[in-house]
Amino acid sequence: MKVGIICHPSIGGSGLVATQLGIGLAHRGHEVHFISRAMPFRLSGRESNVHFHPVEPVYYPLFDDSLYTFSLTAKIAEVAEKHDVGIMHAHYSIPHSLCVHLARQISRRDFHTVTTIHGTDSTLLGQDRPLYPLNRFSIDQSDVVTTVSNFQRRYIREHLHLDRDIEVIHNFIDPDAFKPELASLETRRTMAEDGEKIVMHVSNFRLPKNTAGVVKAFARAVRKVRARLVLIGDGPELEQVKVLCRELKIANRVTFMGKVNPIEAIIPNADCVLQPSYTESFGMVSLEAMASGVPPVTSTRDGIPEVVVHGETGLTADPDDHQGLADHVVALCRDDVLHEKLARNGRQRAIDHFLWDRQVDRYLQTYNQCQDNQKISA
Ligand code: GMT
């Protein structure tokens, strides 16, 4: 099979899932064509059966933007024709699903279209009024629509008013890449002093991630346990977070690491991850933590409970319940028996429910189904 994958290349869950899917398909011998503005961050460019097609921006002095959707549409059509690609898979619908739909209209090579909705492409950004009708229309034009949690499917049906099949394929993890054995004293010592527990948060520091809630909960927890907050990532809320750390007089307890890639050898050194998002279709960091044997303290919202089972594989609370979140952090720092139980169960759940291999097969079945349907109607 020849598959085109269209994704956002920067650090983020949708790009990560798209990349791992492409690598999984390539391992099975399929030919994979990534189409994006830059090399997706987890791709080396040396993987066999994998090709990368950069989308060149078009600048014209009359316009402020780079007319990306035009260039992307043209590139998708060109790749389909030149490489005889039969499936084009858009990850994150805005603007990819529209570009794929338009490319199909202009390409001389007919192809099937798949859209995977990841989160804010249907919730926050997807509800933006100027984007809404075009986004809804282009998703509906896809031969197949998938999303990453049952919560997200319900949301799409109710809020995008789409009365059509939407398949849930949960996100996935490679348990050989994320594993407890990667913890090392040497790496741990780059983040915290001996005897300090590590509470870690990883995100793009946007409002939905509730980074202020992370700091407020940690400020309460640190009154009871000797701990350090390790913040990984970068984004618009970062400066505000620094100010809050100073106001709450915990700046000396916080380490800012900026963007870290790869993250596999970092997460296993944490005693817990603290991810109290306001909205999250799935929550890749909590899954990465579980696979790494690190219990997540996370929120009760949206798709998170499909990943983290409260009291079994992690602990959850309302994102504004700073005391509840703090109590969970304290419990994990103090209670070794609880920590060990959640760590063990979390890794097992990651393997049982979110295995990379199995979910790649689910996507392959979906591709096969849309090809079979076409043959039947032809
Ligand atoms: O929608 C976003 O905020 C960005 C997107 C991304 O590209 O990282 O994140 C979404 O997709 C991830 C992968 O499927 C999910 O793990 C995240 O939960 C989801 N984010 C939200 O729903 C806020």
Side-chain angles (χ1 to χ4, degrees):
M1 214 180 271
K2 295 186 181 185
V3 181
I5 291 187
I6 298 94
C7 65
H8 293 293
S10 51
I11 294 190
S14 63
L16 168 67
V17 170
T19 306
Q20 287 296 107
L21 169 62
I23 293 172
L25 294 169
H27 281 171
R28 287 161 170 72
H30 301 288
E31 189 178 303
V32 179
H33 294 264
F34 282 92
I35 307 171
S36 188
R37 72 169 72 83
M39 180 86 81
F41 74 100
R42 285 282 171 90
L43 214 56
S44 71
R46 294 183 302 277
E47 293 85 359
S48 51
N49 293 336
V50 170
H51 305 263
F52 170 60
H53 306 274
V55 178
E56 314 288 345
V58 177
Y59 291 106
Y60 187 70
L62 209 54
F63 305 118
D64 291 336
D65 63 34
S66 70
L67 304 175
Y68 180 69
T69 49
F70 281 73
S71 327
L72 176 58
T73 302
K75 184 59 80 176
I76 295 166
E78 177 195 313
V79 170
E81 286 173 12
K82 208 163 157 187
H83 299 275
D84 197 26
V85 172
I87 303 266
M88 285 290 177
H89 188 164
H91 282 266
Y92 200 91
S93 62
I94 302 169
H96 300 150
S97 145
L98 177 66
C99 298
V100 164
H101 170 63
L102 291 174
R104 176 151 68 171
Q105 311 304 305
I106 61 173
S107 170
R108 287 188 302 268
R109 166 60 160 110
D110 196 14
F111 50 81
H112 297 280
T113 61
V114 179
T115 296
T116 295
I117 299 173
H118 279 272
T120 49
D121 45 353
S122 63
T123 54
L124 304 176
L125 187 58
Q127 293 300 309
D128 202 284
R129 284 298 119 176
L131 302 182
Y132 180 91
L134 213 47
N135 188 38
R136 180 183 182 281
F137 166 80
S138 55
I139 291 169
D140 208 20
Q141 294 302 309
S142 277
D143 295 331
V144 171
V145 178
T146 78
T147 192
V148 301
S149 62
N150 295 311
F151 159 81
Q152 203 61 30
R153 174 165 60 184
R154 282 194 301 276
Y155 186 96
I156 296 162
R157 289 221 168 109
E158 281 170 29
H159 296 269
L160 288 185
H161 306 286
L162 280 175
D163 182 24
R164 57 164 295 158
D165 282 351
I166 299 170
E167 197 174 339
V168 174
I169 303 181
H170 283 116
N171 288 334
F172 47 84
I173 191 93
D174 176 4
D176 294 327
F178 286 89
K179 51 186 176 186
E181 294 77 19
L182 290 180
S184 86
L185 199 55
E186 199 187 336
T187 309
R188 200 185 158 89
R189 282 183 173 152
T190 63
M191 294 184 271
E193 290 169 13
D194 288 356
E196 271 182 331
K197 296 285 183 181
I198 295 181
V199 178
M200 194 175 278
H201 171 79
V202 187
S203 82
N204 49 20
F205 286 76
R206 289 179 303 131
L207 282 173
K209 301 295 176 188
N210 188 19
T211 44
V214 171
V215 175
K216 287 176 186 169
F218 178 77
R220 286 168 188 251
V222 86
R223 290 179 202 148
K224 296 197 177 147
V225 284
R226 187 166 167 230
R228 171 155 295 272
L229 179 61
V230 174
L231 295 172
I232 297 178
D234 197 355
E237 292 301 302
L238 189 61
E239 285 314 306
Q240 227 9 70
V241 163
K242 288 182 181 168
V243 172
L244 191 58
C245 290
R246 287 197 290 274
E247 281 174 3
L248 295 177
K249 304 197 180 351
I250 55 161
N252 63 341
R253 295 243 154 252
V254 184
T255 302
F256 291 88
M257 291 190 63
K259 285 184 183 168
V260 174
N261 181 34
I263 195 89
E264 287 88 330
I266 303 293
I267 290 182
N269 298 293
D271 293 284
C272 66
V273 294
L274 181 53
Q275 305 288 135
S277 301
Y278 284 120
T279 172
E280 202 76 76
S281 65
F282 185 89
M284 281 304 285
V285 174
S286 290
L287 178 59
E288 290 170 349
M290 279 161 47
S292 306
V294 176
V297 173
T298 183
S299 91
T300 45
R301 297 270 173 97
D302 300 359
I304 294 170
E306 292 173 47
V307 183
V308 180
V309 183
H310 176 70
E312 287 299 317
T313 71
L315 297 172
T316 60
D318 185 84
D320 285 326
D321 179 6
H322 303 139
Q323 191 55 51
L325 293 164
D327 290 345
H328 290 337
V329 169
V330 170
L332 287 169
C333 291
R334 279 187 176 164
D335 186 342
D336 289 347
V337 176
L338 175 71
H339 188 283
E340 146 75 20
K341 172 186 142 186
L342 301 190
R344 193 174 0 95
N345 290 348
R347 169 124 182 118
Q348 198 55 49
R349 182 168 170 77
I351 292 169
D352 290 346
H353 294 271
F354 305 106
L355 199 61
W356 181 25
D357 265 1
R358 207 177 304 127
Q359 301 307 79
V360 171
D361 283 342
R362 295 276 314 276
Y363 279 107
L364 261 175
Q365 279 164 15
T366 303
Y367 300 159
N368 281 323
Q369 266 160 21
C370 74
Q371 287 184 331
D372 289 350
N373 290 346
Q374 171 81 4
K375 273 185 220 142
I376 290 162
S377 61

